[in-house]
Amino acid sequence: MTKTLPVLMLIVCTAAPAWGATPVDVYRFDTPEQETRYKALIEEFRCPKCLNTNLAGSDAPIAQDMRRTVHDLVVGEGLSDQEVRDYLRERYGDFVLYDPPFEPRTYAIWLVPIGLALLGMVAIFLLVSRARQPAGHPLDSADRQRIEALLQDD
Amino acid sequence: MSRLSLFVPLGVFVLILVVGWFGFSLDDRRQMPSALIDKPFPEFAAPSLYDQARTVTRADILGRPTLVNVWATWCTTCKAEHAELMRIAERTDVQLVGVNYKDDVAKAQRWLADFGDPYDMVVVDPDGVLGVELGVTGAPETFLLDGEGKILYKRVADVNRRIWRDELAPRLARLGIVEKDLPEQGGR
């Protein structure tokens, strides 16, 4: 009994990489360049049903279908990368793009982080320049006499 | 340093809470806006469920307001939705087109024989090619088209009584399709 547990754990540990493996589709490509483009494209799109996974990393049925569509568009229809992007965006919306377009509708998501970063830099600059200023005014002779008097008291 | 500035961190914290609350409540991914709203329904050609030698195309479903319902026998929500589709078919003149999605033809035919067939026509999409063409992510999903084939509304998830009342019925009324006043069928 005491030995079965470590053995089980060993089996689980060695088998785990197989469970975590990304799904593999078998597709035929006419040129290596098509394969490279296909792989780059399925890395680029987000699976519409998944929490946050790209098409390449998901084994959801819809991701499989979309990979097949990307393959068909690249190899069968001979579309360019941008045409494939437009095709999927037309059907699934900006959601499938990890990189949202820069449009009036999306200005906020692009500009707010930049604005906050600038604000932070201004705040840091102000804090630092304030810290650099010498505290108070330089001592004059009256101050020195008072200090002397205070020290003498001890 | 005034006393008030001690409250700045609290203010920032509350701001983060508010923005987070609002932001995350927007993130209902099931209701992500369909890219196809106000666009023409895509061209398609798919075999009919009852006669697979027959091909149904986009032109075949145009002409009157239509609900295109994507369903499958493996989809439990579709079963829940089915009664509402039957009710809509019975009480309105809207055309119902079924897209049998990634399913088995024999099972689909048996399902419609067992539970009733609300559809004016059913096409099959055995491997989900048409689904991607339509921007479908699963089943059930339902499109509302006008007579010219423009997509007016899309429901991701089931069409239930509330969706009918709040979303579909008012839009169909504008297209001249109203619910007939039939006696409610009790029981079921």
Side-chain angles (χ1 to χ4, degrees):
Chain A
M1 185 58 208
T2 45
K3 279 198 177 149
T4 41
L5 189 63
V7 169
L8 259 176
M9 285 167 72
L10 192 69
I11 291 172
V12 168
C13 290
T14 47
W19 298 334
T22 44
V24 176
D25 309 299
V26 183
Y27 286 130
R28 216 181 283 278
F29 296 92
D30 296 339
T31 63
E33 183 251 345
Q34 280 179 345
E35 187 167 359
T36 318
R37 283 179 49 214
Y38 166 80
K39 283 184 176 153
L41 282 168
I42 63 170
E43 288 287 339
E44 180 178 323
F45 296 111
R46 180 177 178 187
C47 160
K49 258 284 161 81
C50 316
L51 275 174
N52 199 359
T53 320
N54 56 14
L55 290 186
S58 168
D59 53 4
I62 184 64
Q64 291 169 14
D65 291 351
M66 287 171 73
R67 286 197 295 271
R68 185 190 52 212
T69 300
V70 170
H71 175 264
D72 289 349
L73 293 176
V74 168
V75 177
E77 311 272 325
L79 295 191
S80 73
D81 287 1
Q82 192 52 48
E83 284 167 330
V84 174
R85 269 180 218 121
D86 292 343
Y87 179 95
L88 287 181
R89 189 182 162 206
E90 230 169 73
R91 283 158 180 80
Y92 289 97
D94 292 343
F95 190 90
V96 290
L97 307 175
Y98 272 111
D99 224 1
F102 188 65
E103 294 171 347
R105 202 165 46 84
T106 57
Y107 282 168
I109 52 175
W110 283 103
L111 298 181
V112 164
I114 298 172
L116 287 179
L118 287 177
L119 210 69
M121 280 194 272
V122 169
I124 289 172
F125 177 77
L126 287 180
L127 286 174
V128 167
S129 60
R130 187 191 289 178
R132 285 247 177 93
Q133 273 171 15
H137 52 88
L139 301 180
D140 58 20
S141 54
D143 294 325
R144 283 180 203 286
Q145 279 172 11
R146 274 179 56 215
I147 293 168
E148 287 294 319
L150 283 170
L151 288 173
Q152 297 283 310
D153 279 354
D154 275 354
Chain B
M1 274 273 172
S2 73
R3 276 277 172 80
L4 271 178
S5 63
L6 292 175
F7 289 94
V8 168
L10 181 67
V12 171
F13 175 69
V14 169
L15 190 74
I16 291 172
L17 271 191
V18 169
V19 170
W21 186 276
F22 185 66
F24 284 108
S25 68
L26 284 178
D27 188 33
D28 183 357
R29 66 192 58 254
R30 292 215 311 177
Q31 293 309 325
M32 60 177 169
S34 172
L36 287 170
I37 299 289
D38 287 331
K39 303 251 174 67
F41 195 75
E43 290 288 345
F44 72 93
S48 158
L49 175 70
Y50 291 114
D51 175 11
Q52 296 194 48
R54 211 185 118 222
T55 300
V56 178
T57 64
R58 180 176 185 272
D60 295 321
I61 69 167
L62 301 190
R64 59 186 173 123
T66 300
L67 288 173
V68 178
N69 174 246
V70 180
W71 67 285
T73 58
W74 47 259
C75 147
T76 44
T77 317
C78 300
K79 180 72 192 70
E81 176 184 62
H82 191 259
E84 182 61 15
L85 293 178
M86 291 297 287
R87 205 187 63 85
I88 293 171
E90 185 186 46
R91 288 167 165 258
T92 70
D93 290 328
V94 70
Q95 173 176 243
L96 271 161
V97 175
V99 176
N100 184 240
Y101 181 62
K102 302 181 95 170
D103 205 353
D104 176 77
V105 168
K107 276 188 195 162
Q109 289 178 349
R110 194 163 60 233
W111 156 297
L112 293 179
D114 288 349
F115 304 124
D117 182 354
Y119 304 109
D120 294 276
M121 57 183 108
V122 184
V123 298
V124 289
D125 177 25
D127 43 18
V129 171
L130 178 59
V132 174
E133 191 69 41
L134 301 180
V136 162
T137 59
E141 290 192 16
T142 301
F143 296 86
L144 170 62
L145 319 186
D146 66 10
E148 283 82 54
K150 190 171 80 165
I151 297 173
L152 301 179
Y153 170 79
K154 180 182 171 193
R155 167 71 176 163
V156 178
D158 62 321
V159 170
N160 50 39
R161 196 57 83 84
R162 184 178 58 80
I163 291 296
W164 169 257
R165 189 190 62 214
D166 296 345
E167 307 287 352
L168 292 174
R171 289 181 170 86
L172 280 169
R174 261 172 261 146
L175 300 172
I177 300 256
V178 287
E179 202 172 338
K180 283 177 235 162
D181 209 15
L182 295 178
E184 189 75 30
Q185 288 191 336
R188 277 201 290 174

